[in-house]
Amino acid sequence: MGGYCCPVRLGVLDIGSNTVHLLVANVRPGGRPLARTSERTVLRLMRYLEPDGSISEAGVEALVAAVTEARRVAEAENVVELLATATSAVREATNGAEVIARIEEALGQDLQVLGGESEARFTFLAVRRWFGWSAGQIMLFDIGGGSLELAAGADELPDVAASVPLGAGRMTVEFLAEDPPGEERVERLREHARGVLKPVADALGSQPRPDHVVGSSKAIRSLAKLAGYPVPGWSGSERLMLPRAALGSWIPRLARLPASARQELPGITADRTFQIVAGAVVLHTAMTVMDVDELEVSPWALREGVLLRYIESLSWQDPSA
C-alpha cells in the first residue's frame, strides 16, 4: 500500500457570513498542516440581506470579487487542490442556489455547502487534533456571523453537534441595529438566545461533564483578548482563557460604547466593532445556559478541520498512482 512523504500544497476557501478566508498550507499524511498564506476579505453578508431573505446583487458581486481574488492567490501559490466551502449565510439565502452557481463559476469548480451540523463536526475535529486525546471530554462553542455551533464528545467526532441561528452578524441585524444598542436591547437578545439554546442545552446536558471547554472563531478570540487572560502553553506558545464573569462584566460597557470607540479596545479589530456586542451576549448566554465558568481559545477551527479531513483521505493512497 503506497503512502507518500512529500508535502502537497492545499488551499481551503471558507466562504462565511463575515469573511471570505483562504488558507494555503503544505500538508502531508501524519504531519501537522503548515500554513503558508492566510488571506481574508471582510464582507459581513448580513448587511446585504434583502427583506425577502435574499442576498442583494451588490452582495453577490462582492462575494464573486472576493472569491475571484482568492482563486488568483491560490493559483499564484501553486495550490494543487482548492477545497471550497460555504456556510450558513449563503446556505440559507432565498436565492442561495443562484449565489452558489455564480460563486462556482468564479471559482471554476464545485463548492461544498456545509450544513450547520457538518460545520460543528469539522470544527470539533480540528479542536480535538489541536488539544489531543489527553484533553478528554471536550465541549465546543464556535460563533460565526450567521450561526453558533456547539458540539461535545470524547472522540475525534462529537457525540452531539448542533447549529443554531445565533451568529453575531445575524443577531446584530435583528436585535442590536442601533449604535450603541443600549442595555434594554441587549436584554432582549439575551432572552431570545436563552430560548433558542434551551433544547440544545438539554441535548448537550446528556453528555459527561467536559474536561475542557473550548471556544474557536475570530469573535471568541477577540473577546478573550478583551476580557480574558493568557496562560503559558506548550513549547512557549500562549493560551488564552476567557472567564464567563469577566465577559459578563464587559457587556454593559460594550453596549454603551458606539462602534467607532470599540475598536480602540484590546482585541477588537475594525471588522468586528459592530458585531462584538452580539457575539459577547450570545457567548455569555451560552456559557451560562451550559453552566460553563471559563473556556480556552483554540487557534484551529473550521478551515483546519476541512484540511485535516482531506489529509486523512490521502493518507493511505499514492496520489501519483
Side-chain angles (χ1 to χ4, degrees):
M1 191 178 287
Y4 68 102
C5 59
C6 304
V8 174
R9 187 161 300 169
L10 297 179
V12 179
L13 182 62
D14 170 15
I15 301 167
S17 305
N18 282 321
T19 56
V20 172
H21 195 149
L22 172 69
L23 173 68
V24 175
N26 291 335
V27 304
R28 61 184 175 81
R32 172 179 171 165
L34 299 172
R36 268 187 58 84
T37 304
S38 182
E39 294 261 344
R40 293 167 72 244
T41 304
V42 176
L43 279 184
R44 297 215 303 274
L45 272 180
M46 295 296 154
R47 295 180 302 173
Y48 296 108
L49 276 185
E50 301 283 19
D52 67 352
S54 66
I55 297 170
S56 70
E57 181 57 29
V60 179
E61 285 173 8
L63 259 177
V64 166
V67 164
T68 303
E69 173 60 13
R71 179 183 177 179
R72 186 195 66 73
V73 172
E75 286 169 356
E77 289 279 355
N78 299 314
V79 163
V80 174
E81 184 141 9
L82 183 63
L83 314 170
T85 63
T87 54
S88 64
V90 175
R91 182 176 76 234
E92 292 164 9
T94 51
N95 60 339
E98 178 204 329
V99 175
I100 289 161
R102 286 178 61 182
I103 291 171
E104 289 182 334
E105 188 184 347
L107 272 178
Q109 68 175 72
D110 288 346
L111 180 66
Q112 185 183 9
V113 182
L114 297 177
E117 205 173 300
S118 297
E119 227 179 302
R121 291 166 76 84
F122 276 121
T123 305
F124 191 89
L125 170 64
V127 166
R128 165 60 70 199
R129 289 288 178 85
W130 179 264
F131 285 93
W133 289 112
S134 62
Q137 182 81 15
I138 288 175
M139 181 186 286
L140 167 70
F141 299 92
D142 185 285
I143 298 180
S147 57
L148 163 68
E149 272 70 50
L150 304 104
D155 293 319
E156 290 245 299
L157 292 176
D159 295 315
V160 178
S163 177
V164 288
L166 290 174
R170 188 191 299 274
M171 293 301 94
T172 301
V173 169
E174 290 184 19
F175 287 88
L176 307 181
E178 304 268 312
D179 181 30
E183 295 195 27
E184 188 183 325
R185 288 171 185 272
V186 161
E187 201 45 51
R188 278 174 49 204
L189 170 55
R190 208 187 295 274
E191 281 302 310
H192 172 73
R194 215 175 272 135
V196 171
L197 284 164
K198 175 80 173 71
V200 183
D202 292 344
L204 265 77
S206 66
Q207 290 289 300
R209 187 85 188 148
D211 300 301
H212 276 267
V213 181
V214 179
S216 65
S217 69
K218 182 79 190 320
I220 292 178
R221 199 159 58 247
S222 295
L223 289 166
K225 284 178 180 170
L226 176 70
Y229 62 96
V231 292
W234 300 271
S235 315
S237 64
E238 188 178 84
R239 293 155 59 212
L240 274 175
M241 309 297 295
L242 177 57
R244 183 175 91 202
L247 175 62
S249 71
W250 263 103
I251 289 172
R253 283 183 268 179
L254 288 172
R256 284 195 298 269
L257 278 177
S260 56
R262 286 180 213 137
Q263 69 188 64
E264 306 299 323
L265 298 169
I268 312 299
T269 51
D271 58 307
R272 296 282 147 180
T273 50
F274 280 100
Q275 301 185 5
I276 202 67
V277 186
V281 174
V282 167
L283 181 59
H284 185 264
T285 306
M287 290 174 79
T288 305
V289 167
M290 304 293 173
D291 192 24
V292 167
D293 291 329
E294 184 170 64
L295 61 76
E296 182 170 349
V297 178
S298 168
W300 280 7
L302 176 65
R303 284 174 294 281
E304 288 79 8
V306 170
L307 208 52
L308 290 163
R309 175 56 77 229
Y310 187 79
I311 295 167
E312 275 184 3
S313 73
L314 296 177
S315 289
W316 305 112
Q317 59 190 25
D318 185 341
S320 61

